[in-house]
Every structure is written in C-alpha cells, then in structure tokens.
C-alpha cells in the first residue's frame, strides 16, 4: 500500500509539502503542486479519510434523518439536500428510522461522536418521540450544527428551521372542498400532539367553522402516516359508517382530506376495494404533491409543498453552521399551493354509502 512518504520521495519534496497540496492548507508553488499531483497519480495514492478526519476534526459527512424513505416526500427532500452538500465538498448519509425514537437518537449521536459534521432532521412520523425531541433541544443549547425540516418542536431558537406554511395549504384544500358543495368532510391525520398534525387539524376545523358548520368528531380519524395506514383507516371508516344505525344522506362523509399524499392514495385504494368511485362517490384531497400523486388514477388533488427547496435551503443553512459564520438561527417558511386534479369534483346528490 502506497503512503504519503512514497509520494514525497517521488516528488522530491517533504511530507509536509505533500500534505499542504493534498489538503490545500498552505502556500505551494505551481511547479511543486504539479510535481506532487504527478507523483500521486503515478503511485495511485489515496488519502486515508479516517486519518484526515482525526487531523482536521472534520468528516466531510452530513446525515439526513428521515422516518420513511419509501415516502416520496422525503426522497425529493433528500435530492435537494444532496445537491447542495455535494457542491460544498460534502457527502450525505441517508438515515431511515422507521419512526423509531431510539434509531433517531442513535443517528443524532453521530454528531457528538464526531462521525458526522452536522445533520438535518425531519418530522419523526406518527410517533411522539419525546426523548428524541429533548435530545434535539440539548444539542441546540450546545450550539451543535443541525437543521430541522418542519417545526417538530413547536418552538423557535433551538436551531435553524425550514418549513412550509401548511396551515394555509390546509385552508385552501378545505375551501376547495367546501366550495365544491361538500359539508361532510372526513379528516385522516396523525396524532394530535404532533405539531404538523395539530396545525392541519386546526385548519381543518377552522375551514368548517368559517362556513358555519360544526365539527363532527366522528369524522376525525387518527392514522399511521403511510399508504398502508390510509388504506386500513379508510376501510375502518367505511365499515363504521355502513353499520351506523343513524346513517342517512345528511351524516355520511362525501369527501376525505388526508394529512399527506401516501395516506390519500391508501384511501383511494380502499374506496376502490369497496366498489366506490373517486370522485363521483367521494372526493379525496392529499397533501405534499409527491410524484406519484400525478400518476395514480384518478390523479390526486393535493397541496403542493416545495419539497426540493425544503431540502436545498436546509442544507444551505447547515453549511453556514458548519462553517461557523456566526449566522443567527432562522425560521424560514415557504409557501404551499393547491393543485386541483381529478380526485375532486362538485358534490353529487347521491351519498356514497
């Protein structure tokens, strides 16, 4: 195995000069730099990244922590992160937790253990990862370099936050359904104690209240934030309403607002299995506008989040932190927009059950 000493011998320079060239850490003449680079190529020398990390206290690695890599929402975010960090000479580790709190903490500890230079973390999924959130707060107090996508803590000042204005997006989705003639609108969301679920549920209720409609708690369902969760919750909802003794045209939901697109797609699959048509029998609206939303039939009406920009801006903020520029911690809120497709239409007179 070739070493830096072999490179120095062939180039006719000192080991420290080779180190300055390889690490771009000091003045070296063009002629000397050329000699070193030719010697490196001649012997096929590759620096040991572990040794370099020990010397510089840098790994040139950052971690992106997500709860569900299968969800296309996180796939697009990861693309935005990767594009930025690679421009800065960093590599990205993609860390999938499946929403498990211990896995989240293990990945976050890579920062304290010096295995990554910083991390970007997303909402944890359907679970209430209180211990992980407390650990995030402790890292924030210690001024460790990390960025949060989505305001999972519900507070500012802990770290840089990059999020989307999901409350506005939910209100637009509800207005679309209400203006289409739907008044019995079911909501499929995550645990109310989670900030993202709380904000969307609040906007859902506000949309009904603004139209003078009361909130029917029997139309609010908690679900796993996955395609399978949406599918199973929709089946449970349909069975419940079909067996209800008070079932009538006035209390059967004609529209469903889902907390994200994967849940909404699971809902559409369940409705099909029960022989129900979308949107003729029931309208469905999702949230995120993942790529699959425009390919499923019928194509999904949804609220588009700027997923790539969430990842891009989070990575840019992390690079500033790692460079220790002294930038104050910021909360960046990006706009959302309603994308109307074929899964919604004005309400028909015939109830779907």
């Amino acid at each position: 195995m070739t070493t830096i000493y072999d490179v120095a011998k062939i180039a006719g320079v000192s080991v420290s000069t080779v180190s300055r060239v390889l690490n771009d850490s000091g003045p070296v003449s063009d002629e000397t730099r050329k000699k070193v680079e030719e010697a490196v190529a001649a012997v096929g020398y590759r620096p040991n990244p572990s040794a370099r990390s020990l010397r510089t206290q840098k790994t040139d690695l950052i971690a992106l922590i997500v709860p569900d890599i299968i969800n296309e929402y996180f796939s697009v975010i990861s693309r935005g992160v990767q594009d930025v960090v690679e421009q800065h000479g960093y590599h990205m580790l993609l860390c999938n937790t499946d929403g498990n709190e211990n896995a989240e903490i293990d990945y976050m500890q890579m920062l304290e253990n010096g295995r990554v230079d910083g991390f970007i973390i997303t909402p944890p999924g359907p679970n209430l990862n209180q211990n992980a959130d407390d650990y995030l707060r402790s890292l924030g107090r210690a001024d460790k370099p990390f960025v949060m996508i989505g305001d999972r803590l519900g507070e500012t000042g802990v770290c840089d936050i990059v999020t989307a204005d999901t409350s506005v997006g939910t209100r637009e989705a509800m207005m679309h359904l209400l203006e289409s003639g739907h008044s019995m609108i079911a909501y499929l969301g995550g645990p109310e104690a989670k900030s993202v679920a709380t904000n969307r549920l609040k906007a859902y209720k506000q949309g009904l209240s603004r139209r003078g409609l009361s909130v029917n708690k029997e139309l609010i369902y908690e679900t796993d934030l996955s395609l399978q969760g949406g599918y199973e919750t929709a089946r449970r909802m349909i069975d419940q309403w079909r067996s209800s003794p008070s079932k009538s045209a006035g209390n059967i939901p004609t529209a469903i607002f889902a907390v994200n697109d994967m849940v909404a797609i699971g809902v559409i699959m369940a409705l099909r299995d029960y022989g129900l048509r979308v949107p003729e029998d029931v309208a469905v609206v999702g949230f995120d506008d993942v790529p699959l939303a425009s390919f499923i039939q019928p194509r999904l009406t949804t609220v588009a989040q700027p997923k790539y920009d969430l990842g891009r801006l989070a990575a840019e903020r992390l690079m500033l932190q790692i460079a220790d520029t002294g930038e104050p911690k910021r909360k960046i809120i990006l706009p959302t927009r309603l994308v109307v497709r074929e899964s919604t239409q004005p309400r028909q007179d015939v109830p779907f059950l």
Side-chain angles (χ1 to χ4, degrees):
M1 183 180 71
T2 57
T3 68
I4 193 171
Y5 296 98
D6 298 319
V7 175
K9 183 177 180 180
I10 292 175
V13 298
S14 67
V15 171
S16 61
T17 298
V18 175
S19 178
R20 287 198 298 273
V21 171
L22 295 177
N23 296 310
D24 196 23
S25 58
V28 178
S29 70
D30 291 342
E31 181 181 355
T32 300
R33 182 178 298 276
K34 184 178 179 181
K35 286 182 181 179
V36 171
E37 290 173 347
E38 288 175 348
V40 167
V43 299
Y45 174 71
R46 292 188 178 184
N48 184 323
S50 297
R52 180 177 181 274
S53 176
L54 288 173
R55 290 194 306 272
T56 65
Q57 300 299 305
K58 285 184 61 181
T59 65
D60 293 335
L61 293 173
I62 69 100
L64 173 61
I65 305 172
V66 303
D68 182 11
I69 190 55
I70 295 176
N71 189 326
E72 292 182 337
Y73 170 77
F74 297 109
S75 299
V76 180
I77 283 176
S78 68
R79 178 80 253 183
V81 172
Q82 183 178 355
D83 285 350
V84 170
V85 299
E86 287 185 349
Q87 290 172 6
H88 287 78
Y90 279 77
H91 298 287
M92 181 187 79
L93 297 178
L94 184 56
C95 306
N96 182 64
T97 68
D98 289 323
N100 182 278
E101 181 171 57
N102 292 329
E104 272 202 328
I105 294 173
D106 286 344
Y107 286 132
M108 287 189 281
Q109 285 177 337
M110 291 194 303
L111 177 59
E112 286 198 310
N113 295 337
R115 293 160 59 195
V116 297
D117 296 334
F119 67 81
I120 296 169
I121 191 162
T122 61
N127 303 318
L128 303 178
N129 293 3
Q130 188 60 56
N131 291 331
D133 288 349
D134 288 342
Y135 189 74
L136 279 173
R137 292 185 180 93
S138 69
L139 291 176
R141 288 192 294 269
D143 208 26
K144 297 292 185 180
F146 74 94
V147 177
M148 193 183 305
I149 294 180
D151 192 4
R152 62 181 280 176
L153 300 181
E155 60 188 79
T156 58
V158 175
C159 64
D160 279 300
I161 298 170
V162 182
T163 188
D165 200 342
T166 59
S167 295
V168 170
T170 302
R171 287 197 292 270
E172 289 179 345
M174 287 296 295
M175 187 63 65
H176 170 65
L177 291 174
L178 291 163
E179 290 179 348
S180 297
H182 299 281
S183 57
M184 296 295 292
I185 303 171
Y187 173 78
L188 273 63
E192 287 191 44
K194 290 176 59 60
S195 60
V196 61
T198 300
N199 293 337
R200 292 182 199 177
L201 180 57
K202 182 179 179 180
Y204 161 83
K205 292 178 178 179
Q206 288 175 340
L208 294 173
S209 298
R210 288 193 177 110
R211 284 300 177 97
L213 300 171
S214 59
V215 176
N216 185 345
K217 292 183 178 180
E218 293 185 359
L219 287 175
I220 298 174
Y221 294 82
E222 185 174 307
T223 180
D224 180 355
L225 307 181
S226 66
L227 187 150
Q228 185 68 26
Y231 178 82
E232 293 175 353
T233 305
R235 286 179 62 92
R236 186 173 77 248
M237 180 195 71
I238 296 167
D239 288 339
Q240 173 187 326
W241 284 93
R242 278 185 165 172
S243 62
S244 173
S246 61
K247 181 177 67 178
S248 70
N251 65 8
I252 296 173
T254 61
I256 298 173
F257 175 67
V259 70
N260 68 29
D261 286 346
M262 302 310 288
V263 169
I265 292 168
V267 167
I268 290 175
M269 294 169 62
L271 292 171
R272 283 179 178 168
D273 284 354
Y274 277 78
L276 302 171
R277 300 168 301 167
V278 179
E280 293 85 357
D281 297 319
V282 56
V284 180
V285 176
F287 206 106
D288 290 338
D289 196 26
V290 300
L292 185 58
S294 59
F295 289 98
I296 189 173
Q297 293 298 321
R299 295 191 304 163
L300 182 65
T301 293
T302 184
V303 177
Q305 292 204 68
K307 301 171 288 299
Y308 180 87
D309 286 340
L310 287 171
R312 177 182 63 81
L313 289 170
E316 289 177 357
R317 297 303 301 176
L318 183 60
M319 292 296 99
L320 289 172
Q321 285 193 37
I322 292 174
D324 197 19
T325 62
E327 279 271 325
K329 295 170 182 175
R330 294 177 54 196
K331 182 174 184 178
I332 301 172
I333 303 176
L334 302 179
T336 58
R337 62 185 177 86
L338 179 68
V339 180
V340 178
R341 299 194 180 103
E342 290 85 2
S343 69
T344 56
Q345 69 174 24
R347 178 187 171 183
Q348 305 298 307
D349 292 334
V350 180
F352 78 84
L353 294 177

